[in-house]
Amino acid sequence: MVRSCLLIVLCFLGLLSGNAQSIDDKEMVVYQSPSDKFVSMSLQAHKGLPRFGVLNMYREQTGGQRQGMRTVRPVRGGKNPVSNDKNKIVTMGKNNFSLLVGLKYLRPFMEDLDRKGLTTITSNMSEKESNSAFLQRFLRSQVAPNLCLTDECKNAGQGKNEFERLRNYTSFVDNCLDPLLDWSKNIMEGDELVGYHVSMLNIGNNYDFDKKGYTVYHSIILNNIFTRKQGILNQVVFNPVKPFEEALQNSIDRNKNIKFLLHIDEQTAERFQKEGIRRLYAVKKIKVKRSNKPMKSPSDAIEFTYSHESADLEMYTDEALTQHFKTVSLADLTN
């Protein structure tokens, strides 16, 4: 009976994985797992590259007509079963991607991991014991249940008593930890990743009739690229490379925002208000790189830097990024 139930669960998970791979490659970037013991990951994509920041939540759309041009906007909470499945796939994919990135950069501390026994937390722990306890907590509570499919791996944090908990932990370490660490080497090859970051620009109702546009704020903080899991914090810091990036860095306010005027003619602004468009989706192409900041312990933040691959800041009226509005240059925001 138990075996039958397990087969049903595995088939269902396999179906989800199959669906993720069958989605148009322009919509998803799939990271295939090296073994059927682990879950393949699907990241939302834009123009064939990973999409970070504000994701498409696959809400159903309503349409509006104006001079033959169709505009769409999301219906709050409107979803169908297919959209729900897609949403779960990309949400799980982003979480698991963040976990695998964490594994990649925690490798140097794995020498401190006790692979044979569960580390007991005490008030006078050595540095090695403290590192082992942190890593075991991360592996047992996050990595195993999220990245693993089979019982020999995913139950690392389970057990009715200390003997069963130890068996489950050592089963994970013996059968799955090293393959997962090897898989993590292929994530962010060369310690960098190129993709698109999406943020929202709130335009509201405060149209400036004199300047013909809206005053908006664009943040250069991108800490929504990775998700935080059980103490693992992946921090992303802006690292100016090009002259226009230096100008952006010198123009930020105390909240790390760039304030600028987004030019929109009155006719378009009125149409936006009639259609309930109160925000735009700003998209920029970025490169995320592992910084040279050393980690003293596995609980330290894993720091990355990012820079812009292009000065283009594309504006869309919908979160699916199908309705392009205009493109402005990041180099013009500080003029």
Side-chain angles (χ1 to χ4, degrees), residues 168-219:
N168 287 339
Y169 169 68
T170 55
S171 175
F172 166 80
V173 170
D174 293 342
N175 296 288
C176 302
L177 179 55
D178 288 333
L180 282 171
L181 289 172
D182 288 340
W183 186 18
S184 73
K185 294 178 183 178
N186 299 322
I187 299 296
M188 293 190 67
E189 291 186 273
D191 292 330
E192 64 181 38
L193 175 69
V194 176
Y196 287 92
H197 184 270
V198 183
S199 59
M200 287 191 296
L201 292 180
N202 294 311
I203 56 177
N205 298 316
N206 300 316
Y207 185 77
D208 190 323
F209 287 91
D210 294 327
K211 296 181 179 179
K212 306 298 181 185
Y214 291 97
T215 298
V216 295
Y217 298 85
H218 178 61
S219 176

Side-chain angles (χ1 to χ4, degrees), residues 135-164:
L135 292 169
Q136 287 184 354
R137 185 167 62 250
F138 175 57
L139 294 171
R140 298 174 68 220
S141 66
Q142 295 296 328
V143 174
N146 288 290
L147 291 178
C148 300
L149 290 175
T150 58
D151 284 343
E152 64 179 350
C153 299
K154 69 179 181 180
N155 293 330
Q158 304 298 317
K160 298 177 181 179
N161 53 57
E162 58 187 307
F163 305 102
E164 188 174 343

Side-chain angles (χ1 to χ4, degrees), residues 77-129:
K79 291 185 180 180
N80 57 44
V82 174
S83 297
N84 282 331
D85 287 343
K86 286 184 179 182
N87 192 27
K88 290 176 182 177
I89 288 170
V90 297
T91 300
M92 182 173 65
K94 182 180 179 180
N95 289 340
N96 291 348
F97 179 79
S98 299
L99 290 174
L100 210 56
V101 169
L103 269 182
K104 178 184 179 80
Y105 295 108
L106 290 178
R107 288 178 59 89
F109 299 99
M110 288 296 169
E111 294 180 359
D112 292 340
L113 178 70
D114 188 338
R115 291 174 170 246
K116 300 299 182 182
L118 292 171
T119 303
T120 302
I121 298 177
T122 63
S123 59
N124 58 346
M125 300 174 70
S126 66
E127 180 179 347
K128 182 174 182 177
E129 290 172 331

Side-chain angles (χ1 to χ4, degrees), residues 302-315:
I302 306 174
E303 187 172 287
F304 300 85
T305 63
Y306 87 90
S307 58
H308 300 90
E309 288 287 273
S310 166
D312 289 344
L313 185 65
E314 296 181 294
M315 309 279 185

Side-chain angles (χ1 to χ4, degrees), residues 286-302:
I286 62 171
K287 177 184 286 186
V288 179
K289 300 180 66 175
R290 175 75 167 95
S291 76
N292 295 322
K293 182 178 179 180
M295 296 174 63
K296 296 181 180 180
S297 76
S299 60
D300 287 350
I302 306 174

